[in-house]
Amino acid sequence: MTSVRDICIEALNELQYFPAHETPAAADVETARVRLNRMLRGWKADGVDVGLTVDLELADDFPMGAEHEEGVIALLAKRVAPAFNIMASQETQARALDGWQRILATYVVTPDASFDKALTRLPSRRWPYSVPSSETS
């Protein structure tokens, strides 16, 4: 299972902040973790509740499904880039948008619509046309 540390390191790697064969500094990974928690709290404020009640620590398992890892990495890279005076590439920004759309599709559930009978029983649907006589009163 992927850890929060892995997500943070991959987000920094996405920005090409450090060479691929090196490990980022602990302070940089911590900065990414703080930004990840802020991002997730922001989503909750926007109505996208991914079910977190406490802040994530670096050793924690990534709480969302594996299908969201790429999107969260790109979104986090985009969010953490200004802290390191880096601009996320267009490819990263496109992956972030795709990931956000997948997250919305998974975590935002629209309620079923219900309509008042006054709106659904228009004159063309009243007795004796197409509405059974049991519904005409």
Side-chain angles (χ1 to χ4, degrees):
M1 184 133 200
T2 305
S3 71
V4 171
R5 179 185 308 278
D6 296 334
I7 297 293
C8 293
I9 290 172
E10 285 299 319
L12 294 172
N13 192 31
E14 182 81 21
L15 294 172
Q16 299 176 352
Y17 178 65
F18 61 95
H21 61 280
E22 292 183 17
T23 304
D28 296 338
V29 177
E30 180 62 18
T31 298
R33 183 195 69 84
V34 169
R35 297 277 172 123
L36 175 64
N37 283 317
R38 286 182 190 161
M39 183 174 70
L40 295 174
R41 284 193 304 270
W43 292 355
K44 188 171 186 175
D46 290 338
V48 182
D49 188 359
V50 296
L52 295 176
T53 56
V54 296
D55 282 352
L56 297 171
E57 298 298 328
L58 290 173
D60 293 343
D61 288 335
F62 181 64
M64 300 167 68
E67 66 274 12
H68 296 298
E69 287 178 9
E70 179 186 30
V72 171
I73 288 167
L75 285 161
L76 180 57
K78 193 174 163 185
R79 182 68 55 100
V80 80
F84 300 108
N85 294 322
I86 299 174
M87 185 170 196
S89 69
Q90 288 182 340
E91 185 178 322
T92 299
Q93 292 181 25
R95 275 201 305 277
L97 179 60
D98 291 343
W100 180 241
Q101 289 172 345
R102 277 180 287 200
I103 290 166
L104 289 176
T106 302
Y107 291 100
V108 176
V109 179
T110 56
D112 292 334
S114 61
F115 301 98
D116 188 78
K117 280 194 175 191
L119 295 173
T120 59
R121 289 194 60 219
L122 300 173
S124 63
R125 295 191 41 101
R126 289 193 185 136
W127 182 84
Y129 301 106
S130 63
V131 178
S133 60
S134 62
E135 293 185 24
T136 59
S137 46

